[in-house]
Amino acid sequence: MAEAAPKISFVSLGCPKALVDSERIITHLRAEGYELTRTHEGADLVIVNTCGFLDSAKAESLEAIGDAMAKNGKVIVTGCMGAEPGEIRGRFPGVLAITGPQQYESVLGAVHEAAPPAHDPFVDLVPPQGIKLTPRHYAYLKISEGCNNRCTFCIIPKLRGDLVSRPAADVLREAERLVRAGVKELLVISQDTSAYGLDLKYAASPWRDRAVSARFYDLAKELGELGAWTRLHYVYPYPHVDEVIPLMADGLVLPYLDIPFQHAAPNVLKAMRRPAHQEKTLERIRRWRDTCPDLAIRSTFIVGFPGETDEDFEFLLAWLKEAKLDRVGCFRYEAVKGAPANDIAAPVPDELKDERWHRFMKTQAAVSAQRLKTKVGRRIPVIIDEPGATVAKGRSKWDAPEIDGNVYVASRRPLRVGDIVTVKIERSDDYDLHGIAV
């Protein structure tokens, strides 16, 4: 009779890149016979994958560790916050082990020591695509680790190191496994997707009957050939990104770019040390839309960066109105321990940050609403995320899961999760579309 498998409770915090790390750890654990449980109570141990980018994220991570310690007591900590373990050890000296991001072997070693596996090869099966923490119909596809940029507000390179790209064939093999398993949408992620392959000198690797270079364009083209929606995240507006826009116009890659502009005022961008900030981005956006009129651009911005003046902020608002981005998120600047930005200039008062944030969001809401109105009357493909008795919730090709808007679909026939259906758009509001399945 097989020995009872140890039970692991897992908490995954932070960005999609951390979620992929969690999926890799869980895939290894399941392959070794471990069971996953949803509750800390009764588990043999708890793993907490932390985020350490902002102080608020650190606070959430520490709270999760504290909860796990209180409910279980046997806790292993990994992830970005684990790269600087002093604060964790100071608060929770009883944690079993602390490892940094991407240190899968160290995590597994700590698990083996605390709760040795009871592997039964006759019952422990892992699907070829690995264990996913996302719904079955979409998956994050991480193409590289780390980052070569040195933005003054960011400590990601300190936590995750410099850019390390995966060979193109490795990425494509993983993508193919996912699509075969039923994934309908691949969300390509990294810290800087457009820098992919730079560290490899764009070396080619064998894929099917050909060699594929580790280049942004080549990888995007090959992914688009797999038959799933391919969505590109965390792209910087380097000149070579222009090459990918025709792939979007041809329907091979989704007409969607997630570009973290962060600001528009030259003085602030220079202080942030943003890559490609010197480019004339408005002109580039216009050219992209000339090539692919359906292109949607989402972005994130920071208001209240140290030294941001009223003039800088007004410049940003004017830029927003002209750029007409489809989806935008905005954050009030939050000092990150160890980030050079903290010493650039005097901090912007919290009340002024709040005021600027509200003005920014009001300005962008009007832009987003106007962009959505242009979709009314069109028939568009929609991927279903949540079925409903009469109205299902899905997303268009212009919307990424959890961060963008939704399409609410009325249908006489039942719609299932992962279905891609044609929807006639009948109306829009500030953030969402509403239509009927046809």
Side-chain angles (χ1 to χ4, degrees):
M1 186 173 176
E3 183 184 345
K7 295 180 179 179
I8 307 291
S9 179
F10 204 106
V11 179
S12 185
L13 304 172
C15 63
K17 294 171 282 294
L19 185 72
V20 173
D21 293 343
S22 296
E23 290 174 341
R24 289 176 179 171
I25 294 168
I26 288 171
T27 296
H28 281 295
L29 291 173
R30 288 294 290 124
E32 293 180 349
Y34 289 92
E35 287 187 14
L36 294 178
T37 178
R38 293 181 180 276
T39 59
H40 295 338
E41 295 92 340
D44 289 277
L45 61 88
V46 180
I47 300 174
V48 180
N49 189 4
T50 59
C51 178
F53 182 49
L54 298 173
D55 288 346
S56 54
K58 290 181 180 179
E60 183 184 11
S61 296
L62 291 170
E63 183 180 349
I65 296 167
D67 181 60
M69 290 293 290
K71 293 179 178 176
N72 185 284
K74 296 177 71 176
V75 179
I76 292 170
V77 178
T78 187
C80 284
M81 198 171 175
E84 297 179 326
E87 189 171 359
I88 298 170
R89 282 281 181 214
R91 286 277 296 275
F92 306 106
V95 295
L96 297 176
I98 302 174
T99 71
Q102 307 153 43
Q103 295 179 4
Y104 314 120
E105 295 83 3
S106 299
V107 175
L108 294 170
V111 172
H112 294 161
E113 189 171 332
H119 185 60
D120 185 342
F122 296 103
V123 297
D124 298 335
L125 301 175
V126 173
Q129 74 274 16
I131 307 297
K132 292 292 163 189
L133 299 177
T134 49
R136 186 170 181 262
H137 62 294
Y138 68 82
Y140 292 105
L141 183 66
K142 183 154 56 168
I143 63 173
S144 65
E145 300 282 5
C147 185
N148 286 346
N149 301 320
R150 293 297 183 265
C151 303
T152 55
F153 56 83
C154 181
I155 58 170
I156 291 296
K158 184 178 178 183
L159 299 175
R160 289 183 169 259
D162 287 336
L163 177 72
V164 179
S165 302
R166 299 173 62 192
D170 285 1
V171 176
L172 291 167
R173 277 191 289 270
E174 181 183 351
E176 184 179 51
R177 288 194 298 270
L178 290 168
V179 173
R180 283 177 177 170
V183 167
K184 303 285 187 69
E185 179 179 10
L186 299 168
L187 299 112
V188 178
I189 58 169
S190 65
Q191 291 301 138
D192 181 356
T193 296
S194 38
Y196 170 70
L198 178 65
D199 57 307
L200 299 176
K201 296 183 171 58
Y202 311 112
S205 52
W207 163 245
R208 293 181 175 173
D209 60 347
R210 55 195 177 277
V212 179
S213 296
R215 290 182 186 275
F216 181 56
Y217 172 85
D218 299 67
L219 183 65
K221 183 175 184 296
E222 294 291 344
L223 288 171
E225 300 280 5
L226 295 178
W229 284 12
T230 299
R231 191 179 298 279
L232 302 175
H233 286 273
Y234 315 127
V235 177
Y236 288 86
Y238 299 118
H240 69 268
V241 173
D242 298 357
E243 301 168 5
V244 175
I245 307 302
L247 299 180
M248 298 178 179
D250 293 341
L252 206 62
V253 175
L254 290 184
Y256 178 99
L257 281 176
D258 182 347
I259 303 177
F261 287 115
Q262 306 299 15
H263 215 281
N267 291 337
V268 178
L269 289 171
K270 185 176 180 182
M272 288 179 167
R273 291 181 60 186
R274 293 297 286 161
H277 79 264
Q278 75 280 4
E279 302 295 336
K280 296 177 180 177
T281 51
L282 288 174
E283 184 181 316
R284 174 153 277 125
I285 289 169
R286 277 193 286 270
R287 289 204 306 271
W288 289 346
R289 285 178 171 153
D290 286 344
T291 303
C292 181
D294 247 0
L295 176 66
I297 301 175
R298 101 160 315 272
S299 189
T300 51
F301 291 84
I302 296 171
V303 295
F305 189 80
E308 181 191 57
T309 64
D310 289 340
E311 291 75 18
D312 293 329
F313 182 68
E314 295 299 334
F315 187 101
L316 172 58
L317 292 185
W319 189 93
L320 268 185
K321 292 173 184 175
E322 191 170 351
K324 294 181 172 57
L325 305 182
D326 298 80
R327 303 290 190 186
V328 167
C330 182
F331 300 91
R332 302 164 181 85
Y333 176 76
E334 186 177 321
V336 177
K337 185 179 178 183
N342 303 333
D343 304 319
I344 285 176
V348 174
D350 288 343
E351 315 84 70
L352 189 52
K353 285 183 194 176
D354 287 342
E355 178 192 324
R356 288 177 179 173
W357 184 86
H358 285 292
R359 287 185 62 200
F360 179 101
M361 294 305 293
K362 184 178 180 181
T363 299
Q364 179 56 37
V367 173
S368 294
Q370 191 59 43
R371 295 287 294 172
L372 283 175
K373 278 183 183 178
T374 65
K375 311 295 192 292
V376 175
R378 293 183 58 178
R379 294 178 179 230
I380 64 171
V382 172
I383 190 167
I384 302 300
D385 289 332
E386 294 179 20
T390 56
V391 178
K393 186 167 78 170
R395 288 175 292 107
S396 74
K397 55 190 176 182
W398 308 297
D399 297 299
E402 299 186 353
I403 57 173
D404 293 327
N406 299 298
V407 182
Y408 292 92
V409 183
S411 177
R412 292 180 179 177
R413 66 182 188 274
L415 300 177
R416 298 169 300 176
V417 172
D419 284 349
I420 298 178
V421 297
T422 300
V423 177
K424 182 181 179 184
I425 301 302
E426 298 203 311
R427 66 183 178 89
S428 65
D429 53 35
D430 284 353
Y431 300 105
D432 302 317
L433 296 171
H434 304 259
I436 298 176
V438 296

